[in-house]
Amino acid sequence: MKYFKSRAYRMKKAYAISVVIVLLISIVAVSLYYYMSRPQTSSEIRISTNPWVGFTPFIYAQEKGWLEKTPFRFMWLVDLTDNARLYQRGFTQGFTATQYELMHFKEQHAIKPVFLIDHSYGADAILSNRTLEELRSVKSPIKVFLERGSLNEDFFEAFVKEQKMESLVFSQIDASQKNIGTLPMREDPVIIISYAPYLSELTKKGYQTIASTQTMNSFYVIDALFVDEKVIDANKQEFIRLKEILSLAIKRFREDPKEYYATIKGYLEGQTYEEFMASTEGIEWLNDTVPETIVAHLNSQQVKTDRLLP
């Protein structure tokens, strides 16, 4: 009898613990949902971003505490397409991205770049385990690993057209950059669309760059902070301050790149200092001056620039 009482007690205790765990999980889930879905207030502007080399000044500013007295809160993601999902569901008021991510929005008329960040000049790349000439002779479908719904698709399309590879058969495989970066060296011919910091892991495995935003003539990539124009108008001084913080972080990078790297390296997917410095050579910062040719290029792509800060 004592055994059965003890067993019953243990069962009741286990049940009580499981109920408490379920309740705690429910409370955390509800709290997170409430936090993410609450309406925008004048005291907080949420921005989604990722560890692209051009966006690392925001990491530096965040780690240094420079954003604490501003309304800006950055959410760090991996998938480029998550920017659109979070913004469209009202979880964020802005996002960092290229003009191509914006062009994939179904409704983009109210989304404007508030300031430009960089011009990609080699830090976005197309890699393969074959040379261009070897790829041209492949008869079977060539697997292409890329993020659908992002500039990766546009980049690949421009590459195929520029290299006159339309006669080849490609099989596109949707994957996040996190997963793409872990791809082992394959035996079958493949093409990979990637960007810094994920490029470093791929090149270590033996994948070679066959095209980039430096070598392409028909693909021009600009990174910017995109925000709904009503949010820009209501918070202009705050965005001016954020642009100043961006410039200050870039200045710190130029003055002491090793200290800068040490501050942000936790976000860099294992990039060494040398690899990070190499990736910075693949972009041109646009925080100080914006060439008219860049503005004209964006306008030609129907990206409205009338809210750009000076």
Side-chain angles (χ1 to χ4, degrees), residues 94-128:
F95 53 91
T96 59
T98 74
Q99 75 269 39
Y100 292 96
E101 271 77 47
L102 178 66
M103 290 161 61
H104 282 277
F105 272 73
K106 291 181 180 178
E107 295 183 11
Q108 57 171 278
H109 62 280
I111 308 173
K112 308 286 183 68
V114 62
F115 56 77
L116 305 185
I117 299 172
D118 66 77
H119 163 218
S120 177
Y121 194 64
D124 290 279
I126 299 177
L127 304 95
S128 181

Side-chain angles (χ1 to χ4, degrees), residues 18 23 40 60 67 109 135 143 148 153 160 165 183 187 194 210 225-226 228 256-257 302 310:
S18 65
L23 286 173
Q40 174 199 350
Y60 186 86
L67 301 176
H109 62 280
L135 287 171
K143 292 184 177 68
R148 287 189 179 276
E153 284 189 306
V160 170
M165 290 180 161
L183 283 174
E187 293 295 329
S194 190
I210 56 174
L225 172 59
F226 294 95
D228 185 286
D256 192 345
Q302 308 305 310

Side-chain angles (χ1 to χ4, degrees), residues 27-150:
I27 290 170
V28 171
V30 170
S31 299
L32 181 61
Y33 175 80
Y34 172 76
Y35 173 78
M36 292 291 292
S37 60
R38 62 184 174 174
Q40 174 199 350
T41 67
S42 59
S43 62
E44 185 173 273
I45 301 171
R46 295 192 296 272
I47 297 171
S48 62
T49 187
N50 64 14
W52 158 253
V53 57
F55 304 151
T56 57
F58 294 125
I59 300 176
Y60 186 86
Q62 178 177 284
E63 294 301 302
K64 288 297 185 181
W66 297 350
L67 301 176
E68 291 177 2
K69 294 184 179 181
T70 75
F72 300 103
R73 299 295 174 263
F74 282 79
M75 300 170 59
W76 298 94
L77 311 172
V78 175
D79 290 4
L80 295 172
T81 51
D82 282 342
N83 278 328
R85 296 190 191 101
L86 292 177
Y87 181 85
Q88 290 170 337
R89 294 174 185 175
F91 293 156
T92 61
Q93 289 75 53
F95 53 91
T96 59
T98 74
Q99 75 269 39
Y100 292 96
E101 271 77 47
L102 178 66
M103 290 161 61
H104 282 277
F105 272 73
K106 291 181 180 178
E107 295 183 11
Q108 57 171 278
H109 62 280
I111 308 173
K112 308 286 183 68
V114 62
F115 56 77
L116 305 185
I117 299 172
D118 66 77
H119 163 218
S120 177
Y121 194 64
D124 290 279
I126 299 177
L127 304 95
S128 181
N129 55 358
R130 300 288 193 277
T131 65
L132 278 172
E133 289 309 310
E134 288 172 336
L135 287 171
R136 294 182 199 280
S137 63
V138 174
K139 303 302 181 184
S140 58
I142 301 170
K143 292 184 177 68
V144 182
F145 293 89
L146 76 174
E147 286 184 75
R148 287 189 179 276
S150 74

Side-chain angles (χ1 to χ4, degrees), residues 128-130 141-145 171 173 179-180 182-192 202 205-207:
S128 181
N129 55 358
R130 300 288 193 277
I142 301 170
K143 292 184 177 68
V144 182
F145 293 89
S171 174
I173 299 172
N179 290 332
I180 288 174
T182 63
L183 283 174
M185 176 54 71
R186 297 171 63 103
E187 293 295 329
D188 55 324
V190 297
I191 289 175
I192 301 171
L202 293 167
K205 294 170 185 174
Y207 288 103

Side-chain angles (χ1 to χ4, degrees), residues 158-171:
F159 165 75
V160 170
K161 186 175 181 180
E162 192 166 301
Q163 293 297 327
K164 297 180 172 57
M165 290 180 161
E166 293 91 342
S167 61
L168 299 179
V169 179
F170 300 101
S171 174

